[in-house]
Each structure stands twice: as C-alpha cells, then as structure tokens.
Amino acid sequence: GIGESKQMTDQGYVLRWMGIPSPDGKFIVHADKNQTLWILDVESGDDRQIDESGHGDFRSLDWSPDSKWLAYAKTEDNLMQRLWLHSPIDQTHIALTSDRTLSGNPTWSSDGDWLYFLSDRHLETTVGSPWGPWQPQPHFERTTEIYMLALREGLHSPFAPATELDDQEKDKEEKPNAKDDDEEGEGEGEDNEDEKPPLQIDLDGIAGRLHKLPVPNGDYSNLFATKDRLFWTASDDGRSLMMLKITNEKPKAKVMVAGIRNAELSADGKKILVRKGNALHVIASSGGAPTKLENTAVNLSGWTFSMDPREEWQQMFVDAWRLERDYFYDQNMHGLDWPAMLEKYRPLAERVTTRAELSDVIAQMVAELSALHTFVRGGDTRRGDDNIAPASLGARLTRDEASGGFRVDRIYQSDPDYPDQAAPLAKPGVNISEGDVIEMINGVPTLSVAHCGELLRNQSGKQVRLRVKPHDADESRDVIVTPISSRGESILRYGDWEYTRRQIVEDQGAGDLGYIHLRAMGSRDINQWAREFYPIFDRKGLIIDVRYNRGGNIDSWILGQLLRKAWFYFQGRVGDPTWNMQYAFRGHMVILCNERTASDGEAIAEGFRRLGMGPVIGTRSWGGEIWLSSNNFLADRGIATAAEYGVYGPEGIWLIEGHGVDPDIVVDNLPHATFNGADAQLAAAIEYLQRKIEEEPIEVPEPPAHPDHSFEK
C-alpha cells in the first residue's frame, strides 16, 4: 500500500472481476460480465481477449507455477464445462478435456507436472426404475470425482502402487556417478539442489494422459494443491475442508476442518485461511487437523472502521446505477440515456438522510427502465429493539360483549392428511369449535383489552392458556394452545383458500376432476405438486391454478410431467389396466391465472397454452417475464435487481413482459361476489372441463381379445 498507484487499463466498459496475477507478476488474467476472458501484460499494458463464452462467466482460473500457462474452465455450447490451456507467451490455446464431461476447478501441482481438477463423472442413479409412487426419476448424487492430467510424457502417477522398476530408479538416484561428482566440484551439487528445469508441457496427446485419484466420489468444490497435499471442500454432510496426501502408501482423504464456509491457500502454499462462521482461522497446510481451532483464529476484535454514511450512500448510488447497466439484458437500456439518468437522480441521492431514502431514490432511477423484476430491497437499515411480534390462534375472532369474550367465527381449515399444518385451535385435543367464546387468555379477561390479539403479543410458539365457553354448553373450560406467528397465520389463511378451492372441485366434480394450486414456482412448490398431483393423475379433468403465483423457475418440471402421453397399456391376469408412460395425465386440462400471477407463474400458463395442453382461464397476468439472478448486490448487501434474461418465442417476439398472459377465456372475479364466497374463475374451469368430458370422453381402452393358441391334435 506504499507508493503511487498506477492505472493498468482504460477500456473497462462493463463489470470486471477475478483479477488474478501470475506468480511472477507479469500477467493478470481477468473476466467480465460480457462473458469474455482477458490477459493483461503488466509491462506493456497490452490487454488481450483470449476467449469468450456464450453460456456463462469464467470462474475457475489458475496459473502454472512458472507463469507460462493459464488453465481455466469454460461452458461450451452443449452446456458442458470444459478445461482449456492458454499460453500468453505464444498464444497456444488447447482443450484439455472433452465436451462430453463436466470438468472444472483446475489447479496445478507445485512442480508443474500435473494438473488436478474436479469432474462430474460418477453418474450412477440412486433410483433403479421408473416404477413406484411419485413417478421416480433418475437421481444422481455425489457425482464429483478428482482427476489429474500428466503434462509430460512418461510421468508416473504419484498415487500408483510402487513396482520393481521404481526400486531400480530409486537405486540409481541413491548411487550417483562418481565422475559427475568430480566434475561438479565440491559443494556445487548442493548449491544447485533446488534449481528446477523450466516447466515442460507435451501438448500432443495430453487429453489421453488422464488419471483418476483414489478418492471416493462426493459433492466437491474449491480444489487446491501444495507440494505434497491436495485440499478441497466436501459438501456431502455440511461443508468440510478435506485433505489428501500425495502418496502411493494407502492414500486416504481426511477431514481437516468441519463446518467451514470457505478456505483459501496462501501464495507460498504454507498456510490455509479458513472461514468458519464469521471467524477467520489460519492453519498450516503441512500439519494435521488443528486440535484446538480457536487457537488459530485471526484476532479481529481491534478492527474498527470510520465511515461517513453519506459518502457510502453516494458510492452505493453510483454502484447501483453501474450494476444496473452491466446486468440489464438490453445493452441499449430500452433506448434510455442511462448516463443522463445518473445525473438526473444524483441531486436527490446527495440529499438522502437515511438508507431507506437512498433505496427510494434508487427505485425511482431504475424504474425509468420500465422493466418488471426490478426490486429494491435490503441494505443496512436500522431497526429498533422494541419490536413486538404479534401472534395468532389461526381463527377469525369477533368481540361479543353479550357472550363475555371473543367469539370464534371461523377456524382456518387445512388438509386433514397433514395435521401439523392445522390451526392452533384445530389441533388434536384442543376441541374448540366455531361459535365458542374465548373469555380469558393467560388469566386476563379478553374483554379487558380492545382486541384479544394484545394478549398474544410475543407468544408465538409458546404455550398459552385459554378459558373457553363452548357454544353448546354453559360451563367454561381451560385449554392449552400454541399460537403461531403473524406470518404463520398468513400462510394458514392462504392454505384455507387453497383447501376450500379443492373441496369445491371435489364436490362439484363428483370425483371426475382434480385440482392443484401452486403458490409459487420453487422447491417447496414442486413438493406441493407431488403431494397434490399423484393422487389425482387418473382423473378425467384437471385444473391447475396459478392465480396469485409469485414465480420461481420450475415450469419445465411441471410442463414436462404434463407432456407425458400414454402410448401403451399393461394388463395383468386380473385388475385394471395401467399405462406407459407412468403417471401420464390422460384427461382434459385447464390452467387458471389472474392479474397477480407473476413471473414463472406466467411462464407455465403461456407454456401450457403453447404446448397445446388446454386453455388459459381468468384475467390477464402481471406481465413480468425478464428473468434474473439477483446477484448484483451493493456493499451493504442491499440490491436493486436487474432484469437479466429476456424471453422470446420461436416466432421472434418478446413474450409476456410489459403485457402479461392473455387468457383464452376471460373471466373476472368481481370484488363483491368474491367477498361473499363466489369464485367465478374456478366455476368457469369446472364447467369447461365437465362439458369437454361429456363431448370428448377419454376412456381407458379395453384390452383386446387374447389370441387363440390351441392346436389340433
């Protein structure tokens, strides 16, 4: 940090990262948001692009010990990640692995003889066949293995068992030629002992000199090497720093430090910086697992930073502007003069007095782009320590002076097959019914407060004693319940709406129709899909409801399931036929959407129609279909998300964004009727399917007559 700084490049027009200097300091490799890879010659200032990717950023970069070669990983057009080797000296560029495997994280041996890397080649499914509940799919886990490439011809793997030829070579090394000793002169051999020949790479046939290391497959990342050891992170059960000695004497991987977040090797290879929790530890790379990890902690207790919030806010304002520019899917920024937007909102940013006000200014600026999926949230905002957490009994309560308490008007319903999701008042053993009156909570009369919710503050997850008077009896009784949080109540109320929609379809469909609602399109929602779809896959009609769906990314899973077609049938000696493909839905389908169907909820609705599965019923959706990663965080972990991946159809038009999905059958749920319990959209779906089932029945075909195999005697 001493001396004058020097600007190395001046052509940066997009976000750059991964500036990694070569060991000799003569080159710097760096990547950018435009998915290009560069090498800067420090002395000449020449910054040359060496590669570009059409499918993602460059992340795994590692210099050879002599700084003459760069190894890196690149995602190819078939989405397989491949290892490449590049020389900044003569511009040699060669692939090290094929594009038929997924390989990454190259790391050089200290002598430059070997290149270690990780590769997902252990592909053994944990599911044996497609037969069984929930249409079991092939599942591959712990797919990563560790490999190494010999960079010169004739190298013998350090992990290979010793042979008698090795012993002969060892004898030669231990008995040097006497004439050589005389020629070298006394002491010269010692002086040259540490000198190494220049790194040599035999490029011809390099991809064929591949060795697999004696390490079990697992979920591995962050591979690095020292002279006699390999290290990596294993995520099989938690995250652990693993170590393997480079030896042929029963090599075995061992845990160095368990429960880590990350690890990094020092430049000289002697130390490893380990992050565990929020603590940093420095351990020796040549030792074993630390007996007392706390003794290796870096003392950060004295670190303090003076900070001017206004200056930091100005920096984050400009950073938000720059990151929006570099992440936005349209380099033309929707035709907006983006530099002018920076100057337009800068005076407002200079006047902010809180982090929340900064977010408001940033939100106004990014809103100029007229793109959805642009959210401003997070950051170092302050919260008081006097927050009160409300709790709920999972019911709608009404003050009833005449009855002496709060009357239970409605207990929110849930699927009885999953009792853990029941409302507190509906749990087994509580025995409270609608119409009962809650007179006291923890000994305090409920009528003594404006609302009984006051008596439930900070009681979420705790046992609460209720005095309840049954609606059909005179004598009150005490019960113990456990209230839920306000968020839990919101989820419960939503579940009540879901469950009652399903009950409507069951009742009116007379067993012919199935109903599935998806709140969003994430991992929890595919769980919901599995729970709801498989019990009804053989119905004659199916309603998929993505109203109020908040989006996600699992549309292809569900659409892929629904694209399955039954093309032949199995018939045993007895019983009903079943069909292949397993769990293919054979009936008629519709999908429901409304103005609050968003993002991937819109994608599944549009895909449902375009793939010919059935009509879309409801109202026009939200209109946000530019996808995003939400990775452009600011210094304090706040973010103004950028719309990063536009969606267009095979006909060459942008889809959904700014307009939404237009239903094939427009039906609106009018406010007053909906408040009174009607659901016109659901009713329209039921009516449509019942008519289709009557007009175009799809029955399981009867098995043909068995062939006559009798023969005349």
Side-chain angles (χ1 to χ4, degrees), residues 325-358:
R325 176 199 68 187
D326 293 349
Y327 275 75
F328 198 65
Y329 82 110
D330 177 16
Q331 295 189 34
N332 193 40
M333 305 301 286
H334 278 183
L336 202 64
D337 186 343
W338 195 236
M341 292 302 103
L342 177 66
E343 300 309 318
K344 176 180 178 179
Y345 288 95
R346 192 191 297 272
L348 290 177
E350 292 172 348
R351 295 171 55 188
V352 300
T353 59
T354 68
R355 181 61 174 83
E357 288 181 354
L358 176 65

Side-chain angles (χ1 to χ4, degrees), residues 346-631:
R346 192 191 297 272
L348 290 177
E350 292 172 348
R351 295 171 55 188
V352 300
T353 59
T354 68
R355 181 61 174 83
E357 288 181 354
L358 176 65
S359 291
D360 184 62
V361 174
I362 293 174
Q364 293 182 52
M365 177 176 65
V366 297
E368 297 273 4
L369 290 167
S370 298
L372 296 175
H373 281 125
T374 306
F375 312 118
V376 179
R377 60 175 181 262
D380 190 12
T381 56
R382 296 183 178 181
R383 295 188 62 187
D385 57 5
D386 56 349
N387 290 308
I388 301 298
S392 170
L393 298 175
R396 190 167 66 240
L397 309 175
T398 301
R399 189 181 184 90
D400 189 341
E401 298 279 353
S403 299
F406 276 76
R407 186 179 65 252
V408 179
D409 285 342
R410 177 173 175 77
I411 300 175
Y412 299 127
Q413 299 182 58
S414 62
D415 191 332
D417 286 331
Y418 300 91
D420 58 311
Q421 299 177 3
L425 298 186
K427 293 288 187 182
V430 174
N431 298 324
I432 293 179
S433 303
E434 293 175 355
D436 293 354
V437 175
I438 301 175
E439 299 176 313
M440 303 178 73
I441 297 178
N442 283 340
V444 180
T446 55
L447 292 180
S448 66
V449 294
H451 191 279
C452 61
E454 295 181 39
L455 304 178
L456 295 172
R457 292 182 297 183
N458 294 325
Q459 298 301 305
S460 174
K462 301 177 182 178
Q463 290 187 356
V464 168
R465 184 169 181 163
L466 306 181
R467 174 66 58 83
V468 180
K469 182 169 69 176
H471 67 281
D472 55 358
D474 294 330
E475 186 175 348
S476 300
R477 62 187 181 89
D478 286 352
V479 296
I480 302 296
V481 299
T482 303
I484 56 178
S485 66
S486 57
R487 182 176 182 274
E489 184 198 29
S490 176
I491 294 172
L492 185 62
R493 291 177 62 186
Y494 198 123
D496 178 278
W497 180 83
E498 280 181 309
Y499 180 67
T500 53
R501 301 309 93 181
R502 193 179 93 188
Q503 290 304 108
I504 291 171
V505 174
E506 292 290 339
D507 293 342
Q508 297 185 16
D512 286 339
L513 306 182
Y515 172 86
I516 303 171
H517 176 74
L518 293 172
R519 303 183 185 193
M521 304 293 285
S523 58
R524 286 180 295 184
D525 304 288
I526 199 65
N527 300 341
Q528 172 83 359
W529 171 267
R531 192 173 83 176
E532 301 292 340
F533 172 76
Y534 293 105
I536 58 170
F537 87 97
D538 59 346
R539 301 282 177 93
K540 297 178 180 180
L542 176 63
I543 299 171
I544 301 170
D545 190 350
V546 292
R547 295 177 294 177
Y548 308 103
N549 187 290
R550 301 185 304 276
N553 54 26
I554 63 169
D555 62 287
S556 58
W557 273 349
I558 295 174
L559 292 174
Q561 166 72 68
L562 297 177
L563 281 171
R564 287 188 158 219
K565 302 295 183 183
W567 65 279
F568 72 68
Y569 296 82
F570 297 97
Q571 178 62 64
R573 293 181 64 252
V574 296
D576 297 329
T578 57
W579 52 84
N580 194 347
M581 302 165 69
Q582 295 86 345
Y583 290 100
F585 188 81
R586 300 176 56 261
H588 299 285
M589 297 183 286
V590 301
I591 194 166
L592 293 175
C593 72
N594 66 3
E595 65 280 1
R596 295 186 64 183
T597 300
S599 192
D600 200 39
E602 299 176 272
I604 191 173
E606 182 70 18
F608 186 90
R609 173 173 50 208
R610 283 176 172 255
L611 294 171
M613 297 177 180
V616 181
I617 298 177
T619 53
R620 182 155 57 98
S621 63
W622 179 56
E625 201 55 38
I626 307 175
W627 290 35
L628 72 166
S629 66
S630 298
N631 284 334

Side-chain angles (χ1 to χ4, degrees), residues 65-84:
D66 65 352
S67 304
K68 300 298 191 294
W69 297 91
L70 173 73
Y72 66 92
K74 173 185 174 181
T75 302
E76 303 294 339
D77 290 342
N78 64 353
L79 304 185
M80 287 292 180
Q81 192 168 266
R82 190 179 193 182
L83 296 186
W84 288 83

Side-chain angles (χ1 to χ4, degrees), residues 108-110 224-231 246 265 269-270 285:
W108 297 77
S109 64
S110 61
F224 53 88
T226 63
K227 180 180 179 181
D228 54 6
R229 295 183 176 197
L230 280 174
F231 300 88
I246 301 174
L265 185 68
K270 295 180 179 180
S285 63

Side-chain angles (χ1 to χ4, degrees), residues 71-138:
Y72 66 92
K74 173 185 174 181
T75 302
E76 303 294 339
D77 290 342
N78 64 353
L79 304 185
M80 287 292 180
Q81 192 168 266
R82 190 179 193 182
L83 296 186
W84 288 83
L85 195 63
H86 179 85
S87 168
I89 308 301
D90 59 13
Q91 318 311 322
T92 299
H93 202 79
I94 186 172
L96 295 177
T97 59
S98 78
D99 63 356
R100 298 184 64 83
T101 59
L102 197 156
S103 303
N105 200 170
T107 186
W108 297 77
S109 64
S110 61
D111 56 11
D113 285 345
W114 301 91
L115 187 72
Y116 302 100
F117 64 96
L118 302 178
S119 189
D120 286 359
R121 305 190 187 197
H122 185 85
L123 301 179
E124 293 185 6
T125 177
T126 59
V127 177
S129 78
W131 299 101
W134 308 291
Q135 182 209 316
Q137 295 287 312

Side-chain angles (χ1 to χ4, degrees), residues 196-341:
K196 298 178 181 178
L199 191 153
Q200 176 187 342
I201 299 181
D202 298 330
L203 296 178
D204 289 342
I206 190 171
R209 299 195 293 271
L210 184 65
H211 300 257
K212 181 177 175 294
L213 269 63
V215 176
N217 55 293
D219 294 328
Y220 300 152
S221 61
N222 192 29
L223 177 71
F224 53 88
T226 63
K227 180 180 179 181
D228 54 6
R229 295 183 176 197
L230 280 174
F231 300 88
W232 67 92
T233 299
S235 303
D236 299 331
D237 298 302
R239 288 175 63 84
S240 299
L241 176 63
M242 305 297 295
M243 181 272 291
L244 177 73
K245 289 185 178 180
I246 301 174
T247 176
N248 61 359
E249 297 180 1
K250 298 181 179 179
K252 183 178 181 180
K254 298 180 180 179
V255 175
M256 282 282 284
V257 184
I260 70 167
R261 296 178 66 175
N262 207 346
E264 182 178 337
L265 185 68
S266 63
D268 62 6
K270 295 180 179 180
K271 302 288 184 181
I272 301 174
L273 178 66
V274 176
R275 183 179 179 185
K276 183 170 183 175
N278 288 322
L280 299 176
H281 302 266
V282 175
I283 63 175
S285 63
S286 58
T291 54
K292 292 186 177 180
L293 189 63
E294 61 271 16
N295 294 340
T296 68
V298 179
N299 184 6
L300 302 178
S301 61
W303 281 29
T304 60
F305 300 91
S306 60
M307 185 180 299
D308 184 337
R310 288 182 179 273
E311 290 184 0
E312 185 184 43
W313 292 337
Q314 301 314 306
Q315 174 187 331
M316 287 193 291
F317 168 73
V318 177
D319 282 348
W321 172 87
R322 184 183 295 113
L323 290 170
E324 197 73 26
R325 176 199 68 187
D326 293 349
Y327 275 75
F328 198 65
Y329 82 110
D330 177 16
Q331 295 189 34
N332 193 40
M333 305 301 286
H334 278 183
L336 202 64
D337 186 343
W338 195 236
M341 292 302 103

